[in-house]
Coordinates of all heavy atoms in Angstrom, one line a residue:
R29 N 0.9 -1.2 0.0 CA 0.0 0.0 0.0 C 0.9 1.2 0.0 O 2.1 1.1 0.0 CB -0.9 0.0 1.2 CG -1.8 -1.2 1.4 CD -2.8 -1.3 0.2 NE -3.7 -2.4 0.4 CZ -3.5 -3.6 -0.1 NH1 -2.5 -3.9 -0.8 NH2 -4.4 -4.6 0.1
V30 N 0.3 2.4 0.0 CA 1.1 3.6 0.0 C 1.5 4.0 1.4 O 0.9 5.0 2.0 CB 0.4 4.8 -0.8 CG1 1.3 6.0 -0.9 CG2 0.0 4.3 -2.2
G31 N 2.3 3.2 2.0 CA 2.9 3.5 3.3 C 4.3 3.1 3.3 O 5.1 3.4 2.4
W32 N 4.7 2.3 4.3 CA 6.1 1.8 4.3 C 6.2 0.5 5.1 O 5.3 0.1 5.8 CB 7.0 2.8 5.0 CG 6.7 3.0 6.5 CD1 5.8 3.9 7.0 CD2 7.3 2.3 7.6 NE1 5.8 3.8 8.4 CE2 6.7 2.8 8.8 CE3 8.2 1.3 7.7 CZ2 7.0 2.4 10.0 CZ3 8.5 0.8 9.0 CH2 7.9 1.3 10.1
G33 N 7.3 -0.2 4.8 CA 7.5 -1.5 5.5 C 8.9 -2.1 5.1 O 9.4 -1.8 4.0
I34 N 9.5 -2.8 6.0 CA 10.8 -3.5 5.6 C 10.4 -4.8 4.9 O 9.6 -5.6 5.4 CB 11.6 -3.8 6.9 CG1 11.9 -2.5 7.6 CG2 12.9 -4.5 6.5 CD1 12.7 -1.5 6.8
I35 N 11.0 -5.0 3.7 CA 10.6 -6.2 2.9 C 11.1 -7.5 3.5 O 12.2 -7.6 3.9 CB 11.1 -5.9 1.5 CG1 10.4 -4.7 0.9 CG2 10.8 -7.1 0.6 CD1 11.0 -4.3 -0.5
G36 N 10.2 -8.5 3.4 CA 10.6 -9.8 3.8 C 11.4 -10.6 2.8 O 11.8 -10.1 1.8
D37 N 11.7 -11.9 3.1 CA 12.6 -12.7 2.3 C 11.9 -13.9 1.8 O 11.3 -14.6 2.6 CB 13.9 -13.0 3.2 CG 14.7 -14.1 2.5 OD1 14.8 -14.1 1.3 OD2 15.3 -14.9 3.2
N38 N 12.0 -14.2 0.5 CA 11.5 -15.5 0.0 C 12.3 -16.0 -1.2 O 13.2 -15.3 -1.7 CB 10.0 -15.3 -0.4 CG 9.9 -14.5 -1.7 OD1 10.2 -14.9 -2.8 ND2 9.3 -13.3 -1.5
S39 N 12.1 -17.2 -1.6 CA 12.8 -17.8 -2.7 C 12.0 -17.8 -4.0 O 12.5 -18.1 -5.0 CB 13.2 -19.2 -2.4 OG 12.1 -20.0 -2.2
C40 N 10.7 -17.5 -3.8 CA 9.8 -17.5 -5.0 C 9.6 -18.8 -5.6 O 9.3 -18.9 -6.8 CB 10.2 -16.4 -6.0 SG 8.8 -15.9 -7.1
A41 N 9.9 -19.9 -4.9 CA 9.7 -21.2 -5.5 C 8.3 -21.6 -5.4 O 7.7 -21.8 -4.4 CB 10.6 -22.2 -4.7
G42 N 7.6 -21.7 -6.6 CA 6.2 -22.0 -6.6 C 5.4 -20.9 -6.1 O 4.3 -21.2 -5.5
C43 N 5.8 -19.7 -6.3 CA 5.2 -18.5 -5.5 C 3.8 -18.2 -6.0 O 3.1 -17.4 -5.3 CB 6.1 -17.3 -5.6 SG 6.5 -16.8 -7.3
K44 N 3.3 -18.7 -7.1 CA 1.9 -18.4 -7.5 C 0.9 -19.3 -6.7 O -0.2 -18.9 -6.6 CB 1.8 -18.6 -9.0 CG 2.3 -17.5 -9.9 CD 1.5 -16.2 -9.6 CE 0.1 -16.3 -10.1 NZ -0.7 -15.0 -9.9
T45 N 1.3 -20.4 -6.2 CA 0.4 -21.3 -5.6 C 0.8 -21.7 -4.1 O 0.0 -22.3 -3.4 CB 0.3 -22.6 -6.4 OG1 1.6 -23.2 -6.5 CG2 -0.2 -22.4 -7.8
S46 N 1.9 -21.3 -3.7 CA 2.4 -21.6 -2.3 C 3.1 -20.4 -1.7 O 3.5 -19.5 -2.4 CB 3.3 -22.8 -2.3 OG 4.4 -22.6 -3.0
V47 N 3.2 -20.4 -0.4 CA 4.0 -19.4 0.3 C 5.5 -19.5 0.1 O 6.0 -20.6 0.3 CB 3.7 -19.4 1.8 CG1 4.5 -18.4 2.6 CG2 2.2 -19.3 2.1
P48 N 6.1 -18.5 -0.5 CA 7.6 -18.6 -0.7 C 8.3 -18.8 0.6 O 8.0 -18.3 1.6 CB 7.9 -17.2 -1.3 CG 6.6 -16.7 -1.8 CD 5.6 -17.2 -0.9
A49 N 9.4 -19.6 0.5 CA 10.2 -19.9 1.6 C 11.4 -19.0 1.6 O 11.9 -18.6 0.6 CB 10.7 -21.4 1.6
P50 N 11.9 -18.6 2.8 CA 13.1 -17.7 2.9 C 14.3 -18.4 2.2 O 14.5 -19.6 2.4 CB 13.3 -17.5 4.4 CG 12.0 -17.8 5.0 CD 11.4 -18.8 4.1
D51 N 15.2 -17.6 1.5 CA 16.4 -18.2 0.9 C 17.6 -17.4 1.3 O 18.7 -17.6 0.7 CB 16.3 -18.3 -0.6 CG 16.1 -16.9 -1.2 OD1 15.9 -15.9 -0.5 OD2 16.1 -16.8 -2.4
N52 N 17.5 -16.5 2.3 CA 18.6 -15.7 2.8 C 19.2 -14.8 1.7 O 20.4 -14.6 1.7 CB 19.6 -16.5 3.5 CG 20.6 -15.7 4.4 OD1 20.1 -14.7 5.0 ND2 21.8 -16.0 4.4
L53 N 18.4 -14.3 0.8 CA 18.8 -13.5 -0.3 C 17.8 -12.5 -0.7 O 16.6 -12.9 -0.8 CB 19.2 -14.4 -1.5 CG 19.6 -13.6 -2.8 CD1 21.0 -13.0 -2.5 CD2 19.7 -14.6 -4.0
Y54 N 18.1 -11.2 -0.8 CA 17.2 -10.2 -1.2 C 17.3 -10.1 -2.7 O 18.4 -9.8 -3.3 CB 17.5 -8.9 -0.6 CG 16.9 -8.7 0.8 CD1 17.7 -8.2 1.8 CD2 15.6 -8.9 1.0 CE1 17.1 -8.0 3.1 CE2 15.0 -8.7 2.3 CZ 15.8 -8.3 3.3 OH 15.3 -8.1 4.5
T55 N 16.2 -10.2 -3.4 CA 16.1 -10.0 -4.9 C 14.9 -9.2 -5.2 O 14.0 -9.0 -4.3 CB 16.1 -11.3 -5.7 OG1 14.8 -11.9 -5.5 CG2 17.2 -12.3 -5.3
Y56 N 14.8 -8.7 -6.5 CA 13.6 -8.0 -6.8 C 12.3 -8.8 -6.8 O 11.2 -8.3 -6.9 CB 13.8 -7.3 -8.2 CG 14.7 -6.2 -8.2 CD1 16.0 -6.2 -8.7 CD2 14.4 -5.0 -7.5 CE1 16.9 -5.1 -8.7 CE2 15.2 -3.9 -7.5 CZ 16.5 -4.0 -8.1 OH 17.3 -2.9 -8.0
E57 N 12.5 -10.1 -6.7 CA 11.3 -11.0 -6.6 C 10.7 -11.0 -5.2 O 9.6 -11.5 -5.0 CB 11.6 -12.4 -7.1 CG 11.9 -12.4 -8.6 CD 12.3 -13.9 -9.0 OE1 12.7 -14.7 -8.2 OE2 12.1 -14.2 -10.2
D58 N 11.4 -10.5 -4.2 CA 11.0 -10.6 -2.9 C 9.7 -9.7 -2.6 O 8.8 -10.1 -1.9 CB 12.1 -10.2 -1.9 CG 13.1 -11.3 -1.7 OD1 12.7 -12.5 -1.6 OD2 14.3 -11.0 -1.6
W59 N 9.7 -8.5 -3.2 CA 8.7 -7.6 -2.8 C 7.4 -7.8 -3.5 O 6.3 -7.5 -2.9 CB 9.2 -6.2 -2.9 CG 9.5 -5.7 -4.3 CD1 10.6 -5.9 -5.1 CD2 8.6 -4.9 -5.1 NE1 10.5 -5.3 -6.3 CE2 9.3 -4.7 -6.4 CE3 7.4 -4.3 -5.0 CZ2 8.8 -3.9 -7.4 CZ3 6.9 -3.5 -6.0 CH2 7.6 -3.3 -7.2
P60 N 7.2 -8.3 -4.7 CA 5.9 -8.4 -5.3 C 5.3 -9.8 -5.1 O 4.2 -10.1 -5.6 CB 6.1 -8.1 -6.8 CG 7.5 -8.6 -7.1 CD 8.3 -8.5 -5.8
Q61 N 6.1 -10.8 -4.5 CA 5.6 -12.2 -4.6 C 5.1 -12.7 -3.3 O 4.8 -13.9 -3.1 CB 6.8 -13.0 -5.0 CG 7.2 -12.8 -6.4 CD 6.2 -13.2 -7.4 OE1 5.2 -13.9 -7.1 NE2 6.3 -12.7 -8.7
G62 N 4.8 -11.8 -2.3 CA 4.2 -12.3 -1.0 C 2.9 -11.7 -0.8 O 1.9 -12.4 -0.6

């Protein structure tokens, strides 16, 4: 939303149908895939 927040971490593995798991890496896929 138009506010703020610290972005979480995921691996985007199967991210359209399941909750992404953390992979200890920040990428541009982290912020729109959760």
Side-chain angles (χ1 to χ4, degrees):
R29 302 294 184 267
V30 184
W32 65 271
I34 302 299
I35 297 175
D37 169 35
N38 71 69
S39 65
C40 201
C43 54
K44 280 296 292 183
T45 58
S46 62
V47 178
D51 61 355
N52 197 37
L53 177 70
Y54 277 130
T55 71
Y56 285 111
E57 293 180 336
D58 282 320
W59 66 280
Q61 292 297 342

